[in-house]
């Protein structure tokens, strides 16, 4: 579970429209996650997909090119569709679950 997956400032804005200060990306959607790491700036349909492209290398982690993220059987786990990276098969049930997990309170403690 990653606690720092979303932009802190994105949470203060209306969810209708989000932009990145470091690139041209603009997106809508409650669960969409944008990677602001330099050289990456990819959009993901959910935070769990975002987490898949992050590796633990280095002090601050590193990005794996989304197209190279593989599952246990070597299958491609992230597919680019409709402007962002998405999971291969997300059922309506899984979507609802993601919404309930990420649509509520942010679990990201903001330092005082
Ligand atoms: Zn960006
Ligand atoms: Zn990234």
């Amino acid at each position: 579970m990653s606690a720092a997956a979303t932009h802190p400032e994105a949470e203060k804005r209306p969810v209708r429209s989000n932009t990145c200060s470091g690139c041209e990306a603009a997106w809508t959607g409650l669960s969409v996650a944008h990677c602001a790491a330099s050289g990456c700036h990819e959009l993901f349909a959910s935070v769990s997909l975002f987490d898949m492209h992050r590796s633990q290398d280095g002090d601050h982690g590193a990005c794996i090119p989304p197209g190279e993220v593989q599952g246990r059987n070597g299958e491609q786990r992230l597919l680019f569709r409709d402007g962002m990276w998405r999971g291969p098969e997300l059922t309506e049930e899984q979507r609802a679950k993601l919404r309930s997990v990420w649509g509520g309170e942010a679990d990201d403690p903001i330092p005082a």
Side-chain angles (χ1 to χ4, degrees), residues 35-37 40-42 44 50 53-54 62-64:
C35 183
C40 185
H41 287 284
E42 300 285 0
F44 300 88
F50 170 96
H53 97 291
R54 296 288 297 168
C63 293
I64 301 164

Side-chain angles (χ1 to χ4, degrees), residues 16-60:
R16 258 177 274 125
S17 177
N18 298 285
T19 55
C20 174
S21 55
C23 74
E24 302 281 299
W27 64 96
T28 57
L30 280 173
S31 60
V32 175
H34 178 70
C35 183
S38 71
C40 185
H41 287 284
E42 300 285 0
L43 272 177
F44 300 88
S46 78
V47 174
S48 57
L49 298 174
F50 170 96
D51 283 343
M52 281 181 204
H53 97 291
R54 296 288 297 168
S55 84
Q56 303 301 315
D57 293 345
D59 290 344
H60 304 288

Side-chain angles (χ1 to χ4, degrees), residues 44-103:
F44 300 88
S46 78
V47 174
S48 57
L49 298 174
F50 170 96
D51 283 343
M52 281 181 204
H53 97 291
R54 296 288 297 168
S55 84
Q56 303 301 315
D57 293 345
D59 290 344
H60 304 288
C63 293
I64 301 164
E68 295 177 15
V69 176
Q70 293 184 340
R72 243 177 272 141
N73 302 314
E75 78 277 18
Q76 194 175 341
R77 298 198 66 184
L78 298 175
L79 302 170
F80 196 82
R81 281 204 307 277
D82 300 331
M84 65 182 70
W85 293 95
R86 299 169 189 273
E89 68 216 28
L90 205 58
T91 64
E92 202 38 55
E93 196 182 323
Q94 287 171 313
R95 284 178 203 278
K97 195 177 166 198
L98 281 174
R99 271 197 294 269
S100 71
V101 171
W102 296 107

